[in-house]
Amino acid sequence: NLRKPTKPFFVQCFSDDGYTHDVQCVVYDGPHKKYVGREICFASNENTITIIDVGFKGDIRLLSRTRYEQSYYTHQGWLTEDHSHFIFNDEQDEQSLEVRTRTHVMDVSNLTNPIYVGYSIGRNRAIDHNHYILDNFVYQANYRAGFNVLQIKDIATAQFKQVGYFDIYPNDNKSQFNGAWSNYPFFPSGNIILSGIEQGLFVLKFQKPPPTEQPTALPSAVPSSSPTISCVDSPLVLRWDTGRKTFPRKCSYLAKKRNRCHPYASRSHCPVTCGVCNRRFRCSDSSATFILNGKERTCEYFANLPRDRVAKKCKMEKLRETCRDLCGYCD
């Protein structure tokens, strides 16, 4: 728990599916409506993609674990930006099968029943290691092949097109553990950093190809027939933190100055006032400290109570409209 950054403390651990090599955790905003707004983790667990609901810290739940054919070492992956697909790599299939680089795709539009789509084949036999997704591009660090950029052409059939690369191990592209280790493409400047095991740090710039053809659109995260869920501010007073002191304030206080909605706690507590009535905030718990029956409380406090007590507390409408995910406001 990092609510107080200078005093972090351990909350919970999940190990029911064995060793996790890498994981991406998000506030879910994908097609599976039931879990929108929850904190969901997508784990690469050596031979499976394992999906876990960690929103209820007192009761972390395994949603699914999915195998795929010819798995050797499920290493790392990243979600598409609409949270509908998980693109991942297997660190040992190139060596074991003597095949060209495979970039795998899992359809996770149903978190409890993912479907393995297949894989895209790369230009050589280098091992893929760490990759990340930004817009419609996959940025890969592929050991001896260096840095690769793939454009997503048709995610539903695992079709990618290589549109750029930067080779930091020019000797060869064999399936060995040298060269590019990882990369980071998320700087606002557009700069990309790439780390090489033997070579050090590189700062790169990728010029996106001109849109010569319309790429296949990713599936919509909002089904056309999805019912509209009303967006509400929490009726409870929050503890407004100035950095020096905290004061009890209603959502109407935030409306008086736009910058009062900048903190995440403000937006999650008062999504209507702050103009963020998207699914991320409409169905998520308030992250603010609030006053309930004269006591300071948080949604996390209630999440750690036994389930029967949580169910009883959530009968209070004002708590349902504050701890929306915990109390099933959007269910």
Side-chain angles (χ1 to χ4, degrees), residues 240-279:
W240 173 255
D241 189 352
T242 66
R244 296 182 179 180
K245 295 181 180 180
T246 61
F247 301 92
R249 293 288 187 263
K250 295 181 178 180
C251 287
S252 56
Y253 172 79
L254 305 182
K256 296 177 181 178
K257 289 187 178 180
R258 182 174 297 179
N259 64 356
R260 292 174 181 171
C261 281
H262 288 176
Y264 186 91
S266 299
R267 288 176 286 157
S268 65
H269 196 77
C270 309
V272 176
T273 296
C274 292
V276 288
C277 279
N278 52 39
R279 293 192 304 159

Side-chain angles (χ1 to χ4, degrees), residues 12 79 123 129 137 168 198 214 295:
Q12 190 56 271
L79 287 164
R123 60 189 168 88
H129 192 232
F137 297 91
I168 67 171
E198 303 88 1
Q214 187 67 27
K295 296 181 180 179

Side-chain angles (χ1 to χ4, degrees), residues 310-326:
V310 172
K312 184 177 180 180
K313 296 288 185 181
C314 284
K315 290 181 180 179
M316 291 187 289
E317 190 63 20
K318 54 188 176 183
L319 188 62
R320 273 178 50 81
E321 294 179 348
T322 304
C323 302
R324 308 172 194 95
D325 178 25
L326 178 67

Side-chain angles (χ1 to χ4, degrees), residues 77-78 80 85-88 103-105 131 133 138 152 155 160:
W78 208 253
T80 54
H85 289 76
F86 189 70
I87 301 175
F88 64 99
T103 300
H104 299 267
V105 177
H131 68 228
I133 298 170
V138 184
I152 301 172
I155 193 68
F160 300 83

Side-chain angles (χ1 to χ4, degrees), residues 141 143 168 178-182 193-202:
Y143 282 117
I168 67 171
N178 308 91
W181 177 265
S182 194
I193 56 173
L194 173 71
S195 60
I197 297 171
E198 303 88 1
Q199 298 80 9
L201 183 70
F202 296 82

